[in-house]
Amino acid sequence: QVQLVESGGGLVQPGGSLRLSCEASGFTSDYYALGWFRQAPGKEREGVSCFTRRDGSVYYGEDVKGRFTMFRDTAKSTVFLQMDSLKPEDTAVYYCAADCRVWVGLSRVNVNALDARGQGTLVTVSS
């Protein structure tokens, strides 16, 4: 049984940084299509980032490109999302999910198309 567990959310001031973690279990050792999406109050689910290929290529949503960086520790089966230059509009519940390729290039995330997702972690950007 696959499982994704997020951590690292919290309150941060505009311009600050935060790092989210996603611990994955139950996946095959070569599985790569993990990513993050978010949902802000009253808004559609939005794809944030996704490992699109085995070589580590990453897709980023337009709203986070240049500010967020996703990377992984393969030995620990953990995926990270480093969020810098945070803005109030980044406030949302952030979810780790698989197979994130289903939302690449789309304006919203269809959770019914996912293989798995975590419980979410809340990020609040506010002064």
Side-chain angles (χ1 to χ4, degrees):
Q1 182 179 356
V2 299
Q3 189 174 16
L4 299 167
V5 179
E6 305 97 334
S7 61
L11 173 65
V12 62
Q13 292 187 340
S17 297
L18 208 58
R19 180 178 292 183
L20 306 182
S21 301
C22 171
E23 186 172 344
S25 60
F27 293 88
T28 59
S29 60
D30 62 347
Y31 190 86
Y32 62 88
L34 296 176
W36 296 87
F37 72 91
R38 65 186 182 183
Q39 187 167 26
K43 294 189 176 181
E44 298 280 0
R45 299 178 186 91
E46 174 189 17
V48 174
S49 60
C50 174
F51 283 112
T52 56
R53 300 197 309 188
R54 205 176 304 279
D55 66 3
S57 299
V58 180
Y59 160 88
Y60 293 101
E62 285 299 319
D63 289 346
V64 306
K65 199 174 293 185
R67 300 187 297 119
F68 290 11
T69 304
M70 185 170 69
F71 57 99
R72 68 197 312 161
D73 182 336
T74 304
K76 297 182 179 180
S77 299
T78 302
V79 173
F80 301 92
L81 183 67
Q82 177 67 36
M83 305 185 294
D84 299 318
S85 303
L86 282 162
K87 305 175 182 179
E89 49 264 44
D90 293 319
T91 295
V93 178
Y94 284 72
Y95 298 88
C96 182
D99 176 342
C100 61
R101 295 169 298 177
V102 300
W103 72 62
V104 170
L106 301 180
S107 60
R108 61 181 181 177
V109 175
N110 178 4
V111 294
N112 293 323
L114 299 174
D115 294 332
R117 62 169 171 162
Q119 80 287 352
T121 186
L122 176 63
V123 173
T124 304
V125 185
S126 175
S127 54

